[in-house]
Amino acid sequence: MATDLQKLVVENEEEDEEDMDVKEEDGDDEDDVEKHISIPPMVDVDGVIGSTSNSNHFHNYSQMQGQLGSSGGAPRRSRPLEEKERTKLRERHRRAITARILAGLRRHGNYNLRVRADINDVIAALAREAGWVVLPDGTTYPSRSQGSRSVGAPSNLATSPSSQMVPQQTASLRGLTSGFHSTVEYNASRMKGLFVPSPPPQTQSMVGDGEPTGGQALNVDILEGKQIIDMPLKLPERDFVGTAYIPVFVMLPLGVINMKCEVADPDGLLKQLRILKSINIDGVAVDCWWGIVEAHAPQEYNWSGYRRLFQMVHELNLKLRIVMSFHECGGNVGDDVCIPLPHWVAEIGRSNPDIFFTDRDGRRNPECLSWGVDKERVLRSRTAAEVYFDYMRSFRAEFNEYFEAGIITMVEVGLGPCGELRYPSSPVKHGWRYPGIGAFQCYDQYMLKSLRKAAERRGQNCWARGPDNAGSYNSQPQETGFFCEGGDYDGYYGRFFLGWYSQMLVDHGDRVLSMAKLVFEGTCITAKVTSVSLFFPPCYHQRLLTNSASQISFSFPKKVKNI
């Protein structure tokens, strides 16, 4: 029925537009005649209207109007040909301007205008966007807010915001428009501004004092014997896959747990949590720092502060999102506390600094462990991968009841500096400033060992080295022989080195995330993937990101082959 009505209205509108020229010319002729026959009323000195003279003029006017309106009347005054041509040119010019306006609104304003829309459709679309209600017959009036109910509406329509948020997004300005059976039917009705056919028998409208007469309640108007259902001004901008709300989690301060693994300010934290609860957030996110929990000895975990924190959050009926932070806090933008790596790791680093990332000048970066020790037993008879796995497994065993109860809804796994899957190629502590290209971090003995093996497999032992013309931290790409246009990065050695360098990064992420999947099975696992690294040229970035960037964050346990 709706499709037939749409076709009928489109055909009528096309016929109206084809007759526009004739109507406008006729209107001009009638205006000219009325100007000639219109006579102002005569007033005598006493201010009284001359009834006799006025009556005679009115009689003459009526006779002339009758002659003009009759089919067999006197011939119409012919207009000069030049004037008709000017009228047509003005009309064509007006239509050209209208066409450009409509094209711009369709392209840039997302207005659902039909192909042969006229100025009335434009005005109606602009009025609806401004919050006015425009009915198909042109009746226009200011709208009421979606949150307010109609007079006499039943009280059970007012429910909690979380349970009614999606219906409110699809609600009309004066009631729920539940008469649409599909989004296609809804879009067609909204675009054409058509009359909607009567609802089926089991669905009746609101009558009387607002009580529904049966079935699902609809709020309709009766105009000239036809039912009109109010339509939403705009569709929801995003589809949240049927959820009733957008989950909102607030990140707790980095130093909410101090270095003794205690809640830093329990009273102040509880007060802040209650404020957050009062604004109906879903939960909080918190970093679980490796340098705090396993600070003093290998495999000696202290979760006491986090248990107290989780209890406070649970008592307020809030959810938790956990961040497994295996990096150092402090020295980066936004860091207001200092949380180093575990003390026993720092002791190992003093005797074996190659467990940290190293640049070409030999400067170490203790922000996180090098990818080269993921499989090297240099951490008290454990590899770095085993250390990460044991830490995550201890957390899961300690707080298993929170997982079972659904209080912990997500676990983010740290994969590098600042928790991101990237190299620490632009450390401020080493003098880097934006927009420098940074520096390769592959000069510790374990990364060089891996590079040497990769070069031997290719039969190119001379490739077992880092680039010697890649500039310094604050160089620009065009200033280096490696990154400049046509530079070494696009040669055989450059492609080999960049392929190995990026594969080390991907292998680390795949390894740690695969272990996290085993530990946190059944729980959503996320990871932070940084934007384009500064030391890769733009053309190489595009190729890397196109190949597998989408797989880095969410491929569990599928391996990621290339970045």
Side-chain angles (χ1 to χ4, degrees):
M1 181 68 71
T3 305
D4 296 337
L5 289 174
Q6 291 175 10
K7 293 180 179 178
L8 179 60
V9 171
V10 171
E11 293 174 358
N12 293 336
E13 290 171 346
E14 292 176 356
E15 293 175 1
D16 294 341
E17 291 178 357
E18 292 174 357
D19 297 338
M20 185 179 294
D21 291 335
V22 178
K23 291 182 179 179
E24 289 191 357
E25 292 178 6
D26 293 345
D28 293 340
D29 292 341
E30 292 176 2
D31 293 340
D32 294 338
V33 173
E34 290 176 3
K35 290 179 181 178
H36 287 289
I37 65 175
S38 60
I39 300 176
M42 299 182 65
V43 183
D44 58 6
V45 293
D46 296 330
V48 181
I49 298 177
S51 59
T52 303
S53 176
N54 192 31
S55 300
N56 293 335
H57 290 302
F58 178 76
H59 179 70
N60 296 334
Y61 174 81
S62 301
Q63 288 181 348
M64 189 171 294
Q65 285 291 94
Q67 292 177 0
L68 291 174
S70 61
S71 58
R76 302 174 61 88
R77 183 179 60 86
S78 61
R79 300 174 60 188
L81 182 61
E82 295 180 358
E83 184 177 352
K84 290 184 178 180
E85 291 297 329
R86 287 196 298 268
T87 301
K88 290 182 180 180
L89 289 176
R90 285 196 300 269
E91 179 61 22
R92 290 171 186 163
H93 181 64
R94 185 190 66 81
R95 290 190 179 186
I97 294 175
T98 303
R100 295 190 189 97
I101 294 175
L102 297 178
L105 291 176
R106 285 193 197 96
R107 179 175 299 178
H108 307 293
N110 295 325
Y111 290 102
N112 291 326
L113 300 176
R114 55 191 175 86
V115 177
R116 301 192 60 164
D118 58 13
I119 193 62
N120 292 335
D121 298 320
V122 179
I123 295 174
L126 295 175
R128 290 191 183 101
E129 186 182 36
W132 290 72
V133 177
V134 182
L135 299 182
D137 69 336
T139 303
T140 304
Y141 55 88
S143 64
R144 285 172 286 184
S145 61
Q146 292 183 357
S148 62
R149 294 183 297 148
S150 301
V151 178
S155 59
N156 57 6
L157 291 179
T159 56
S160 62
S162 60
S163 62
Q164 291 293 325
M165 190 166 293
V166 169
Q168 287 177 3
Q169 289 178 348
T170 59
S172 71
L173 293 175
R174 292 161 44 210
L176 298 178
T177 60
S178 305
F180 304 105
H181 301 286
S182 66
T183 56
V184 176
E185 183 179 349
Y186 167 83
N187 289 333
S189 299
R190 179 176 179 269
M191 180 176 64
K192 300 295 184 183
L194 299 177
F195 290 108
V196 180
S198 301
Q202 67 272 16
T203 304
Q204 300 180 10
S205 62
M206 302 285 289
V207 297
D209 57 353
E211 293 295 328
T213 60
Q216 189 174 4
L218 290 177
N219 205 356
V220 299
D221 284 342
I222 305 298
L223 182 62
E224 298 180 358
K226 300 177 182 180
Q227 286 189 347
I228 303 174
I229 299 179
D230 290 346
M231 303 175 187
L233 298 182
K234 281 189 177 182
L235 286 171
E237 294 183 359
R238 296 181 61 187
D239 181 13
F240 296 102
V241 198
T243 58
Y245 56 84
I246 309 171
V248 176
F249 284 73
V250 176
M251 189 73 186
L252 294 182
L254 299 176
V256 64
I257 303 295
N258 60 27
M259 291 302 299
K260 297 180 180 179
C261 201
E262 300 173 346
V263 179
D265 183 12
D267 295 335
L269 176 62
L270 183 60
K271 180 179 179 181
Q272 295 298 323
L273 288 176
R274 286 174 177 168
I275 294 175
L276 294 175
K277 177 64 178 179
S278 67
I279 60 175
N280 296 323
I281 69 165
D282 292 86
V284 295
V286 59
D287 287 275
C288 291
W289 294 99
W290 180 35
I292 293 178
V293 176
E294 197 180 1
H296 304 291
Q299 295 182 286
E300 292 186 4
Y301 307 103
N302 179 11
W303 298 103
S304 58
Y306 289 101
R307 176 163 289 279
R308 173 60 184 142
L309 172 61
F310 294 175
Q311 288 175 352
M312 296 168 62
V313 173
H314 177 46
E315 289 171 359
L316 294 174
N317 294 322
L318 295 174
K319 303 294 185 180
L320 281 164
R321 288 185 178 179
I322 307 302
V323 182
M324 298 280 102
S325 298
F326 297 108
H327 61 281
E328 176 187 71
C329 179
N332 291 310
V333 177
D335 292 345
D336 54 357
V337 296
C338 181
I339 303 175
L341 296 182
H343 299 312
W344 59 274
V345 174
E347 292 177 0
I348 296 174
R350 282 191 285 270
S351 59
N352 182 15
D354 285 296
I355 66 173
F356 302 124
F357 283 106
T358 308
D359 62 14
R360 184 174 180 83
D361 296 331
R363 287 174 289 192
R364 316 287 182 173
N365 191 332
E367 188 174 354
C368 62
L369 297 178
S370 169
W371 313 153
V373 299
D374 278 357
K375 296 183 178 180
E376 299 289 340
R377 296 189 175 278
V378 295
L379 301 175
R380 305 285 176 89
S381 302
R382 290 189 299 167
T383 65
E386 292 173 344
V387 169
Y388 304 144
F389 179 77
D390 292 341
Y391 181 84
M392 292 186 290
R393 186 173 56 179
S394 172
F395 177 84
R396 176 59 189 262
E398 182 72 20
F399 300 105
N400 185 63
E401 67 272 18
Y402 289 89
F403 286 94
E404 297 295 335
I407 299 172
I408 296 178
T409 61
M410 183 181 294
V411 177
E412 179 184 310
V413 182
L415 298 174
C418 297
E420 300 173 352
L421 183 60
R422 64 175 176 86
Y423 284 95
S425 58
S426 52
V428 177
K429 65 180 69 176
H430 291 165
W432 173 85
R433 295 295 182 271
Y434 179 83
I437 60 174
F440 289 111
Q441 304 289 318
C442 61
Y443 293 94
D444 61 83
Q445 62 170 324
Y446 302 106
M447 292 285 284
L448 291 176
K449 176 182 175 181
S450 174
L451 177 60
R452 185 165 54 253
K453 290 182 178 180
E456 291 173 355
R457 287 193 296 268
R458 294 288 297 270
Q460 299 287 344
N461 293 336
C462 61
W463 287 356
R465 57 178 178 81
D468 54 7
N469 59 348
S472 60
Y473 282 107
N474 295 310
S475 299
Q476 298 298 310
Q478 65 274 12
E479 300 172 353
T480 68
F482 190 82
F483 290 121
C484 66
E485 185 176 359
D488 293 345
Y489 80 90
D490 202 24
Y492 289 110
Y493 163 72
R495 290 178 176 271
F496 159 77
F497 175 79
L498 291 177
W500 165 83
Y501 194 69
S502 61
Q503 192 61 46
M504 289 290 291
L505 176 77
V506 175
D507 288 344
H508 169 75
D510 180 72
R511 188 178 301 114
V512 177
L513 292 176
S514 297
M515 293 186 298
K517 181 181 181 297
L518 295 176
V519 175
F520 303 115
E521 187 173 2
T523 303
C524 180
I525 301 173
T526 64
K528 288 196 294 185
V529 180
T530 187
S531 58
V532 178
S533 303
L534 293 176
F535 49 79
F536 279 155
C539 58
Y540 200 77
H541 277 297
Q542 185 63 32
R543 183 168 64 254
L544 299 183
L545 296 176
T546 302
N547 286 343
S548 64
S550 59
Q551 297 178 343
I552 294 177
S553 299
F554 306 106
S555 292
F556 306 114
K558 181 179 178 181
K559 268 187 173 289
V560 180
K561 298 302 181 185
N562 294 296
I563 182 172

